[in-house]
Amino acid sequence: PRRIKSLRIKDLADKCQVSEATVVRFIKKIGLSKYQDLKIILAEITTEQNRGKGFVHNKVSKNHTLEQISDTILANIHTELNDTHKIMLTENMKSAIAALEHSRNVDIYGAGGSRIAAEHFRIRLYRIGIRPSIYSDPSKQTVSASLLGPEDTAIGISNSGMTVSTVSSLKKAKGNGATTICLTNHDLSPITKCADIKLFTSTQESDFFQQSMSSWVAQMFILDVLYAGLAVKNFDDSVERLKKTATSLL
């Protein structure tokens, strides 16, 4: 169960030597609605097995002390960053870096909590000479996507992969010939169907944290790897730009 928590549905199907459709049918058969639900249940099972062995419970309960709460949140972040790292697809990351490096325009779509990660990425890129635009308003996202073309890149960030405005805008950008990148926690979600390059996090939601800090941290981790990969490709120039921006803030 512990290993399955960090697997995408495609990887699980490959390990079981069945199709993705078979895995989906199994999930429906046992009364669950989606693959993420299965991962959450498995997380709870492993937590029960490890209770009393020095492991921290993966949820905050009403009986937790402040120290236990902080330990729980820290453990969640640590686990989910590790899980995200395990499923990171190096070739997809390289493709995303190449697309960003050669793009005329980079437009980023992210609503709600995903806008936090989008803004984080924008500031990172801005300081090495790439000036992306962020759109969280649905109307502005649509206008942005309508103006993109083959020389541009659109990035859609959605933890659920189902944010309607982000998905529709990424689909429109793809239809106009732009390279499209998605960053999501769900590998069978609608946003993956309109992305040329798919990037994934591996986090688990709980009743207490509908979209926990772990989700944003995992998104920022992936985006930081992209940023660092871009900076290294033009190392001397990037260092010089970072020095200039740092000096300007003194």
Side-chain angles (χ1 to χ4, degrees):
R2 192 185 307 277
R3 293 181 61 191
I4 293 175
K5 290 190 297 180
S6 63
L7 294 178
R8 295 179 300 129
I9 192 168
K10 179 181 183 301
D11 300 324
L12 177 60
D14 290 343
K15 286 184 178 295
C16 296
Q17 298 182 332
V18 298
S19 67
E20 290 180 46
T22 299
V23 176
V24 172
R25 285 196 296 271
F26 169 75
I27 291 168
K28 301 291 186 184
K29 184 74 172 179
I30 61 176
L32 302 178
S33 60
K34 55 185 183 295
Y35 181 52
Q36 188 69 4
D37 294 338
L38 177 63
K39 292 171 73 174
I40 290 172
I41 289 174
L42 291 173
E44 291 173 345
I45 291 172
T46 54
T47 297
E48 290 294 331
Q49 290 173 342
N50 292 316
R51 184 168 292 169
K53 299 180 182 179
F55 290 85
V56 180
H57 197 293
N58 72 327
K59 290 184 178 181
V60 175
S61 74
K62 64 180 181 179
N63 297 320
H64 278 186
T65 65
L66 186 60
E67 289 77 12
Q68 289 172 321
I69 291 171
S70 64
D71 286 347
T72 298
I73 293 174
L74 181 61
N76 287 344
I77 293 172
H78 183 266
T79 298
E80 293 175 4
L81 278 177
N82 278 331
D83 288 347
T84 296
H85 180 259
K86 288 176 185 175
I87 67 167
M88 188 172 67
L89 303 173
T90 302
E91 290 306 314
N92 289 23
M93 296 292 284
K94 288 180 178 178
S95 297
I97 289 168
L100 292 169
E101 182 184 17
H102 299 108
S103 288
R104 177 185 59 182
N105 296 302
V106 177
D107 285 3
I108 307 174
Y109 310 133
S114 294
R115 194 185 191 288
I116 298 172
E119 180 63 20
H120 169 83
F121 194 44
R122 184 190 72 81
I123 293 171
R124 289 287 205 217
L125 295 184
Y126 192 72
R127 295 190 65 189
I128 59 171
I130 300 173
R131 302 194 175 194
S133 299
I134 294 178
Y135 301 96
S136 56
D137 177 80
S139 297
K140 292 178 180 178
Q141 287 179 348
T142 299
V143 172
S144 156
S146 70
L147 296 175
L148 297 181
E151 297 179 355
D152 305 316
T153 296
I155 304 174
I157 304 175
S158 171
N159 186 61
S160 68
M162 300 175 65
T163 309
V164 175
S165 61
T166 300
V167 173
S168 62
S169 297
L170 203 66
K171 183 177 181 180
K172 183 180 286 292
K174 181 178 176 67
N176 287 335
T179 299
T180 52
I181 302 171
C182 76
L183 175 55
T184 182
N185 196 52
H186 298 273
D187 58 343
L188 290 181
S189 59
I191 200 170
T192 63
K193 295 178 173 59
C194 47
D196 300 309
I197 303 167
K198 303 171 182 62
L199 307 177
F200 298 101
T201 58
S202 179
T203 63
Q204 295 161 7
E205 303 302 320
S206 69
D207 293 335
F208 196 84
F209 295 110
Q210 289 301 310
Q211 184 173 1
S212 68
M213 185 174 69
S214 299
S215 301
W216 306 328
V217 172
Q219 289 174 344
M220 290 179 189
F221 167 69
I222 293 293
L223 295 173
D224 263 8
V225 174
L226 292 181
Y227 152 76
L230 278 165
V232 165
K233 289 179 76 71
N234 300 284
F235 187 83
D236 292 338
D237 187 49
S238 295
V239 169
E240 185 61 30
R241 288 179 184 275
L242 288 168
K243 286 180 180 178
K244 285 182 177 180
T245 56
T247 302
S248 71
L249 296 172
L250 296 178

